[in-house]
Amino acid sequence: MIEYKVIFHIDELNKWKLLLSNVSNLLKASDNNKYSVEVLANAEAVKYYAATQNLEADINLMEQLREKGVKFVACNNALTANNLLQKDLIHFVDIVPAGVAELIIKQSEGYAYIKP
Amino acid sequence: MIEYKVIFHIDELNKWKLLLSNVSNLLKASDNNKYSVEVLANAEAVKYYAATQNLEADINLMEQLREKGVKFVACNNALTANNLLQKDLIHFVDIVPAGVAELIIKQSEGYAYIKP
Amino acid sequence: MIEYKVIFHIDELNKWKLLLSNVSNLLKASDNNKYSVEVLANAEAVKYYAATQNLEADINLMEQLREKGVKFVACNNALTANNLLQKDLIHFVDIVPAGVAELIIKQSEGYAYIKP
């Protein structure tokens, strides 16, 4: 078993379905590897974390992925630009000050980068 | 001469023209470097590999790139989601179980990542 | 203070506003890190470098970023395809023969890759 790390980047609202499908498929891959997954949302994509805007089914899928260890992260610059506060977001979302800095730092730590 | 490795990621059907142009330009670059190129298609982009949906010209370009060593790969999850079997695809396409896993593993092996 | 390097990739004209916002936010991040930033434009995105096509405000923002060390680069294949010469471009834009080669070489040198 090999351990891999990956950060998925999303900045468009309409890519969430594809992204969640990508992450689900990755965790279902029967290749005996272990994948540490972080999802980093910036720009308009952070609006998806505001629970009231989502379908129940999507929240359920995100919660299932979260239980499998997937980390969901929001860019604080993007939250501010969209008038969103932490209390508006699904409870398990973490916040970083600058999403692009997070993408850079994680890659320097050996994370692969995927932009669906 | 330095040897570089790169994986191109495509998940949108309408990006194929741009992607094939990118790869062609790379192999024509007169910089004395050697580029090992893999093209990984997932999501709806795998439909491009179904020969009947392509223009003859595009298949010819892909075959020329293939002859220069470019590896064309399809995600099996995406094939299944699009009701495609290996026999439906251009003959030189390889299949991997999970496209996102391929993107991660290749990056861990030193491949650069490009998403046109 | 840690020094990080990043190359931003843009190939769609309509992504410039998002990209410049990303770069601005990165340089404003108060995390005590240092970020070396290169912006690599290929395909239709190089047209943004042709000064007459931009709003004054955008050029001002690019000049501010340039003064903070951001390097703006154009792919020569894309310039040729769009009938643009160096003299048509904002004066501080550098040109590389093949944009995709630049993306690969920079990643091999430890640059993170971000595609807004």
Side-chain angles (χ1 to χ4, degrees), chain A residues 38-41 46 49 66 71-80 84-99 102:
Chain A
E38 177 170 329
V39 175
L40 185 285
V46 298
Y49 288 144
R66 172 69 176 177
K71 205 174 156 186
F72 289 94
V73 179
C75 167
N76 196 49
N77 292 316
L79 293 177
T80 303
L84 290 170
L85 301 171
Q86 180 147 27
K87 69 173 177 57
D88 301 319
L89 308 182
I90 305 168
H91 67 91
F92 52 76
V93 173
D94 294 316
I95 298 178
V96 292
E102 177 79 357

Side-chain angles (χ1 to χ4, degrees), chain A residues 9 11-12 42-43 75 77-78 98-105 107-109 113 115, chain C residues 4-6 8 15 18 22-23 25-26 29 31 33 35 107 111-116:
Chain A
H9 178 203
D11 54 12
E12 293 174 286
N42 65 349
C75 167
N77 292 316
V100 282
E102 177 79 357
L103 292 171
I104 295 165
I105 292 167
Q107 286 184 68
S108 81
E109 294 173 351
Y113 172 92
K115 178 84 185 294
Chain C
Y4 294 100
K5 297 177 285 188
V6 58
F8 284 84
K15 294 289 175 67
L18 175 59
N22 280 178
V23 175
N25 281 331
L26 179 62
D31 57 6
N33 295 322
Y35 296 98
Q107 287 184 69
Y111 281 64
Y113 171 92
I114 297 180
K115 178 84 186 295

Side-chain angles (χ1 to χ4, degrees), chain A residues 4-6 8 15 18 22-23 25-26 29 31 33 35 107 111-116, chain B residues 9 11-12 42-43 75 77-78 98-105 107-109 113 115:
Chain A
Y4 294 100
K5 296 177 286 188
V6 58
F8 284 84
K15 293 291 174 64
L18 175 58
N22 280 179
V23 175
N25 281 331
L26 179 63
D31 56 7
N33 296 322
Y35 297 97
Q107 286 184 68
Y111 280 63
Y113 172 92
I114 296 180
K115 178 84 185 294
Chain B
H9 177 203
D11 55 13
E12 293 174 285
N42 65 349
C75 167
N77 291 316
V100 283
E102 177 78 357
L103 293 170
I104 295 165
I105 292 167
Q107 286 184 71
S108 80
E109 294 172 353
Y113 172 91
K115 178 84 187 291

Side-chain angles (χ1 to χ4, degrees), chain C:
Chain C
M1 191 185 76
I2 305 178
E3 292 198 27
Y4 294 100
K5 297 177 285 188
V6 58
I7 189 160
F8 284 84
H9 178 204
I10 180 163
D11 55 13
E12 293 175 285
L13 262 179
N14 65 5
K15 294 289 175 67
W16 271 105
K17 195 182 167 198
L18 175 59
L19 182 141
L20 294 174
S21 165
N22 280 178
V23 175
S24 298
N25 281 331
L26 179 62
L27 298 182
K28 275 186 278 189
S30 53
D31 57 6
N32 290 320
N33 295 322
K34 189 184 178 314
Y35 296 98
S36 294
V37 180
E38 177 170 330
V39 175
L40 185 286
N42 66 348
E44 67 170 27
V46 298
K47 290 193 277 186
Y48 196 81
Y49 288 144
T52 55
Q53 305 187 19
N54 292 327
L55 298 174
E56 188 72 26
D58 297 323
I59 299 182
N60 287 347
L61 175 53
M62 290 173 81
E63 285 195 332
Q64 286 166 28
L65 295 173
R66 172 67 176 179
E67 281 162 19
K68 290 178 184 169
V70 176
K71 205 175 158 187
F72 289 95
V73 179
C75 167
N76 196 49
N77 291 316
L79 293 177
T80 303
N82 288 284
N83 300 311
L84 290 170
L85 300 172
Q86 180 146 28
K87 69 173 176 59
D88 302 319
L89 308 182
I90 305 169
H91 66 91
F92 52 76
V93 173
D94 294 316
I95 299 177
V96 292
V100 283
E102 177 77 357
L103 293 171
I104 296 165
I105 292 167
K106 282 291 183 282
Q107 287 184 69
S108 81
E109 293 173 353
Y111 281 64
Y113 171 92
I114 297 180
K115 178 84 186 295

